[in-house]
Amino acid sequence: MNSSHIQFCSDKSKVDLYQLQELYNCTAFWAQNRPLEKLEIAVACSHPVVTVWDGSKMIGFARATSDGVYRATIWDVLIHPDYQRKGLGRKLVETVLAHPHVNQVEKVYLMTTHQQNFYKRIGFQENQTTTMVICQEDFERLPQITEASSQLI
């Protein structure tokens, strides 16, 4: 593939939320029909955000959260199916890893359901010791969380 016309952009103000929603719908079984309002919040609260463009068409997206020193997490690495297996996903992840808000942290985490081998080829290793999760629906069953949130200023 001649990728000279493909551009990577780290300006999150350029994210087209409608195209992003469609990208999730056509690439991510785990993120179907995410509301635009919530996508907007996720983009706003992430840094860096990297998009991939073929002209005016958004064909890739990834985002990370980071404290800039100790930990970062890469989220939602998406490449449109028509552009997969051309090296763009790898370049997208490498672009996030090279970003100044990520490239100085001690550890970078990510979660994946089926793409472990893809990330291993980039240099990630499986980590069985640090993965834990609590879901929002579980918050209601924990009165201390409800009580603590009501005390926030």
Side-chain angles (χ1 to χ4, degrees):
M1 175 182 103
N2 178 0
S3 60
S4 62
H5 58 284
I6 303 294
Q7 295 188 324
F8 287 72
C9 177
S10 62
D11 180 352
K12 67 179 159 184
S13 73
K14 305 283 189 211
V15 174
D16 179 322
L17 293 174
Y18 294 98
Q19 287 194 60
L20 179 58
Q21 185 182 50
E22 180 55 32
L23 193 58
Y24 275 104
N25 288 341
C26 74
T27 61
F29 72 90
W30 42 265
Q32 296 294 297
N33 302 312
R34 287 191 169 175
L36 289 172
E37 309 80 44
K38 291 191 176 188
L39 289 175
E40 183 176 26
I41 293 167
V43 168
C45 294
S46 299
H47 187 66
V49 171
V50 179
T51 51
V52 186
W53 297 86
D54 184 355
S56 61
K57 180 180 180 182
M58 185 189 309
I59 61 165
F61 173 84
R63 64 187 183 91
T65 52
S66 173
D67 60 24
V69 179
Y70 300 110
R71 302 290 183 267
T73 304
I74 297 176
W75 307 97
D76 303 351
V77 176
L78 310 170
I79 295 290
H80 190 281
D82 294 344
Y83 294 83
Q84 292 177 4
R85 305 207 184 283
K86 297 174 179 13
L88 296 173
R90 179 185 188 98
K91 186 171 180 184
L92 179 57
V93 173
E94 289 171 346
T95 302
V96 172
L97 290 170
H99 189 278
H101 208 66
V102 177
N103 71 5
Q104 298 296 311
V105 300
E106 292 176 356
K107 291 185 180 182
V108 178
Y109 295 92
L110 67 81
M111 277 141 292
T112 184
T113 307
H114 299 296
Q115 296 299 323
Q116 291 83 353
N117 289 332
F118 168 76
Y119 292 106
K120 283 180 184 177
R121 288 192 301 272
I122 296 172
F124 284 87
Q125 302 170 7
E126 289 189 41
N127 181 351
Q128 302 296 328
T129 61
T130 60
T131 303
M132 298 183 78
V133 66
I134 186 169
C135 297
Q136 185 177 11
E137 57 266 16
D138 297 326
F139 289 179
E140 297 170 2
R141 295 185 218 127
L142 299 171
Q144 62 272 26
I145 291 177
T146 305
E147 183 180 322
S149 68
S150 68
Q151 297 172 0
L152 293 174
I153 298 174

